[in-house]
Amino acid sequence: MTEFLDPVLTFIADNPSLAGLICFLAAMGEALFLVGLFVPSTVVLVGAGTLVGLGKLDVVPIFIWTTLGATAGDAISYWVGYTFKDKLKNMWPLKRYAHMVESGEAFFKRHGGKSVFIGRFVPGVKSVVPGIAGMAGMNFTRFSVVNVTSAIAWTIAHMGPGIIAGSALGAIGQISGRLALVLGALLLVIFLIVMLGRWLILIILPLFPNAHAAIVKGFARRQGRISQWIARNFDPAHPRSSGMLASALLLLITMPSFFWLMGEVAPGETMVRADLAILNLFDSLRTPAGDRIMVFVTSLGDGIVVTAVTLVVGAYLFARKAWRRATGFIIAMAVTALFVPLFKLLLHRSRPLELYSDAHAYSFPSGHATLNAVLFGICAVLIVHDLSRWAKASVFTVTAAYVITIGFSRIYLGAHWMSDVLAGLLFGTAMVSAFAFVFGPIHNEKVGRRTLAAIVVATLAVFGGWHLSGTYDKALLTYEPRSDKEVLTGSGWLEGAWQALPARRIELNGDREEPLVVQYSGSLDGFAGTAEKAGWQRPPKWSLSTAGGFVEGKTPPDSLPILPRSQNGRQPDLVLIRKDEAGGRWVLRLWPSRYQILETGRLRALYLGSVVHEDILRPMGEFSGPSTDLQVPHPEDNPALLLPGAVVRERADGTRVVLALGSRSAVPMAEADRPMSRAQRKHQQ
């Protein structure tokens, strides 16, 4: 999979001046008066820092470009504020964000000239403080000195984490590119969630400033007791109405989503095939170092650690005499602890691995994801009570990152299907939302936010460390990769077992795509060598030059790289193309399967393949785009027929499959992988 990232990195490395310009524009855009709310500079600059750490960019020019952009953005904002003064407040769209301007004015009054430096690092006011300084008539020379120094510090703060992350991933990549890819994907998921939350808070919500009040007024005009209760508790003047509204909306979204997902994991549904494809994808990315990291993470989410944190937090809340919140917390955890095994027994969905007994032997939903989401989600709700919205966002970000990482570890280690983890996170979020809705308005129970946070972290560290010290080595053995290989005899395969193999390619989303018309056991080099005699060849690899062929209208079909396709989460081991006279091309892909053929005491890998025809579309004569126009080849166009001894079989739907045994590339029977588990055999059909 890493070959798909190479063109992007190569392009950036070959065009460092363009990368510098992008960083300049991003840094300047975020500093522009209010416009900065809409500019995702953090994404760009952390990404640029990561590329610096990976050795793809030179740090000096990128640092200079970014600093100049941040300086120019603040200077423009200062000029706008200095020129238009208070008229800005009545201009669209600034009047939609009046609270931002007011916050900036209050910040400037509190900190004076140094607010230009401090404000650059404070979310919510950094895009307005320079403009406020201009409106207040701050001396330009003084402003410029503070502007430049703060831009340098801001650039270091934004690019530094990316450089560290890139250097770490680069070092890991020297050990294992697959491990670097897994950790990079996890960091990307967490980072995107944080950025989406930031945009929701700063941009989306202010666009509807009157919707909240209008809805509440509608309920207030009704005479029913429920309507009056809603109007009273969700009144914008109520100090906690926004939190209750957010909790109610989350509850209304997550619970229906959970039950919808539960229906999607029934046998034969698309989600089941998607789960298997994603499991295979992660299995192909596993490394010993990655296993050690993920076992460490997943062990912190084990039941004994969750129980310890629950008991300590509950005891602390009762000791503080926060009776209602303590009771609600214990009830929420108890209900969740009963809910997980109940639904496991109700659905009887097998795990990818056989890990536990009784109800926990089943898979849906993930107990780790559910219990940790409820436990740490409720702790976060208690800790952020009455804090500023940015403090709340920070606490929830850390909590979400921790819980998501635990869920990610369950999928990576093969302990759960992806849908199990998603279901657990959905139900856990629903329980946290219900707790926040019911107990959020309580203001006469003080829990000691900092003390509670310290207790949670300390308990997790102490009990988690104790648990890991006694079980880590055993857990490594428990979660070690299992082979899913199944052995077929050569005669059994040719006589009828071939029909048990997948008939169509399965995408990562679970959709069934083109028919698999080749079943081949043997050497891939031997297959390629035989096919080359009939005009088949390996396609060009992805690079900046080959990717440029897509934007040229006269690129030959055999000069265009192949678009990636996976089969059940696996990447093809062999791809061949053959140009035809009509200006298109045939594409053969061979994917590894979970089957091996036993022939004369030796094992050979069995590959599944598709042969599709692509027409090269050339809109306006300026582009070259491959489009599949034939998913099943004519019998004579199947390159597997070129192999000696190839036989043709026909499926019930009329599709013809070519079975072929090529030159030997075998492993001794003694080196065969272990048979797969009962759960894997049941699901991987």
Side-chain angles (χ1 to χ4, degrees):
M1 291 182 64
T2 53
E3 66 267 20
F4 303 138
L5 300 177
D6 288 342
V8 178
L9 297 178
T10 302
F11 177 79
I12 294 175
D14 292 343
N15 298 271
S17 59
L18 182 59
L21 179 61
I22 293 173
C23 291
F24 174 86
L25 294 175
M28 182 180 69
E30 189 180 47
L32 292 177
F33 191 65
L34 208 62
V35 176
L37 292 176
F38 302 88
V39 179
S41 70
T42 304
V43 178
V44 176
L45 298 181
V46 173
T50 302
L51 292 173
V52 169
L54 289 170
K56 300 297 181 179
L57 294 175
D58 187 359
V59 64
V60 175
I62 295 298
F63 180 84
I64 293 174
W65 276 106
T66 304
T67 303
L68 290 176
T71 303
D74 267 17
I76 294 173
S77 297
Y78 173 89
W79 175 83
V80 170
Y82 187 84
T83 303
F84 295 97
K85 302 294 184 182
D86 290 337
K87 297 178 182 178
L88 286 172
K89 298 180 181 179
N90 298 320
M91 294 181 180
W92 187 92
L94 299 184
K95 58 184 179 181
R96 292 266 186 179
Y97 297 89
H99 67 285
M100 299 291 295
V101 178
E102 293 172 359
S103 298
E105 289 179 325
F107 191 85
F108 188 82
K109 290 179 181 178
R110 188 181 312 118
H111 299 286
K114 62 182 179 181
S115 62
V116 176
F117 189 101
I118 300 173
R120 196 186 284 275
F121 299 89
V122 179
V125 299
K126 61 183 177 182
S127 62
V128 297
V129 166
I132 300 299
M135 294 169 62
M138 180 179 178
N139 180 271
F140 180 73
T141 302
R142 183 185 177 196
F143 170 82
S144 299
V145 172
V146 178
N147 182 18
V148 173
T149 54
S150 65
I152 294 174
W154 179 84
T155 301
I156 294 173
H158 275 67
M159 294 187 62
I163 293 174
I164 295 173
S167 300
L169 290 176
I172 294 172
Q174 296 297 318
I175 303 172
S176 171
R178 291 182 294 168
L179 175 59
L181 185 61
V182 169
L183 296 180
L186 175 60
L187 292 174
L188 179 62
V189 169
I190 295 174
F191 185 68
L192 290 177
I193 291 175
V194 172
M195 294 307 301
L196 288 174
R198 174 182 182 272
W199 275 43
L200 176 65
I201 293 172
L202 287 180
I203 299 173
I204 304 300
L205 295 180
L207 293 177
F208 307 95
N210 300 319
H212 186 178
I215 294 173
V216 169
K217 288 181 180 179
F219 280 103
R221 288 193 291 266
R222 299 174 179 269
Q223 298 302 317
R225 298 176 65 181
I226 295 179
S227 297
Q228 291 298 312
W229 179 87
I230 293 175
R232 182 173 59 257
N233 286 278
F234 289 95
D235 189 335
H238 193 293
R240 295 172 183 84
S241 64
S242 297
M244 292 181 66
L245 181 60
S247 300
L249 289 175
L250 270 178
L251 186 61
L252 292 174
I253 293 172
T254 52
M255 280 307 295
S257 298
F258 170 81
F259 286 107
W260 170 82
L261 189 60
M262 185 174 68
E264 291 298 307
V265 298
E269 292 291 340
T270 302
M271 181 62 73
V272 176
R273 296 192 296 272
D275 280 338
L276 179 56
I278 292 171
L279 180 71
N280 289 333
L281 174 64
F282 276 97
D283 184 65
S284 68
L285 296 174
R286 290 188 64 168
T287 61
D291 290 353
R292 288 192 289 270
I293 294 172
M294 292 303 166
V295 168
F296 176 87
V297 172
T298 207
S299 297
L300 289 178
D302 283 351
I304 188 170
V305 179
V306 170
T307 301
V309 176
T310 300
L311 293 177
V312 172
V313 170
Y316 171 76
L317 293 176
F318 279 116
R320 293 280 305 200
K321 298 183 179 180
W323 308 113
R324 286 176 289 180
R325 286 176 173 163
T327 304
F329 171 72
I330 296 299
I331 291 175
M333 292 302 299
V335 168
T336 305
L338 291 174
F339 160 84
V340 171
L342 177 64
F343 266 77
K344 287 179 183 290
L345 289 172
L346 179 65
L347 295 182
H348 273 230
R349 190 186 193 196
S350 299
R351 288 177 181 267
L353 296 178
E354 295 180 354
L355 295 175
Y356 309 113
S357 59
D358 301 325
H360 295 291
Y362 301 110
S363 187
F364 186 96
S366 165
H368 276 68
T370 309
L371 286 165
N372 282 278
V374 175
L375 170 60
F376 293 102
I378 292 179
C379 289
V381 168
L382 295 173
I383 291 170
V384 304
H385 191 66
D386 286 338
L387 292 180
S388 68
R389 58 178 180 169
W390 274 105
K392 292 179 180 179
S394 300
V395 173
F396 282 129
T397 294
V398 173
T399 304
Y402 178 73
V403 174
I404 290 171
T405 303
I406 290 178
F408 185 91
S409 71
R410 303 303 286 172
I411 302 172
Y412 173 90
L413 294 171
H416 276 288
W417 309 103
M418 183 191 68
S419 55
D420 302 336
V421 172
L422 290 178
L425 294 177
L426 286 171
F427 184 85
T429 303
M431 288 295 294
V432 174
S433 301
F435 180 91
F437 182 83
V438 174
F439 298 99
I442 298 175
H443 59 84
N444 58 352
E445 290 184 351
K446 304 300 182 182
V447 299
R449 294 188 297 265
R450 295 182 179 178
T451 304
L452 178 59
I455 287 175
V456 171
V457 173
T459 306
L460 182 62
V462 172
F463 279 89
W466 169 78
H467 176 59
L468 280 165
S469 65
T471 63
Y472 183 70
D473 291 337
K474 182 180 178 180
L476 284 174
L477 295 175
T478 300
Y479 293 111
E480 67 179 356
R482 266 74 158 176
S483 173
D484 63 350
K485 297 299 182 183
E486 183 173 354
V487 178
L488 302 174
T489 63
S491 58
W493 167 55
L494 294 172
E495 291 173 4
W498 64 271
Q499 299 181 71
L501 275 66
R504 287 182 173 271
R505 182 176 68 88
I506 299 176
E507 270 286 9
L508 278 177
N509 61 6
D511 289 343
R512 290 190 174 98
E513 301 295 344
E514 72 270 16
L516 298 172
V517 295
V518 176
Q519 295 183 16
Y520 170 73
S521 179
S523 166
L524 293 178
D525 289 336
F527 190 113
T530 301
E532 284 178 3
K533 300 175 183 178
W536 292 84
Q537 64 184 40
R538 297 180 187 267
K541 294 183 178 181
W542 279 90
S543 66
L544 182 60
S545 59
T546 58
F550 289 107
V551 298
E552 296 181 4
K554 298 181 179 180
T555 306
D558 54 354
S559 297
L560 292 173
I562 297 298
L563 299 179
R565 288 189 180 185
S566 65
Q567 149 59 10
N568 221 8
R570 300 181 176 94
Q571 298 301 316
D573 282 352
L574 177 66
V575 179
L576 298 175
I577 61 173
R578 190 188 72 185
K579 183 172 62 174
D580 61 20
E581 297 178 355
R585 64 183 181 183
W586 290 99
V587 181
L588 162 78
R589 296 177 176 90
L590 287 181
W591 293 276
S593 74
R594 65 182 181 89
Y595 297 93
Q596 292 178 316
I597 302 299
L598 176 62
E599 187 78 7
T600 63
R602 310 283 289 183
L603 286 174
R604 306 184 188 188
L606 180 60
Y607 300 91
L608 304 178
S610 71
V611 183
V612 300
H613 185 268
E614 292 182 344
D615 184 26
I616 307 301
L617 304 179
R618 306 183 191 277
M620 299 178 292
E622 296 296 332
F623 301 95
S624 296
S627 175
T628 301
D629 59 351
L630 185 62
Q631 293 188 336
V632 181
H634 297 293
E636 63 273 15
D637 290 321
N638 194 323
L641 287 172
L642 300 170
L643 299 170
V647 296
V648 179
R649 297 288 188 265
E650 187 170 326
R651 293 196 178 100
D653 61 0
T655 304
R656 294 184 178 183
V657 185
V658 178
L659 282 60
L661 281 169
S663 60
R664 294 190 175 187
S665 176
V667 295
M669 182 63 181
E671 297 178 9
D673 293 319
R674 290 178 299 175
M676 63 180 174
S677 67
R678 174 184 59 82
Q680 289 173 318
R681 190 183 303 277
K682 178 179 178 181
H683 282 84
Q684 299 195 28
Q685 299 294 333

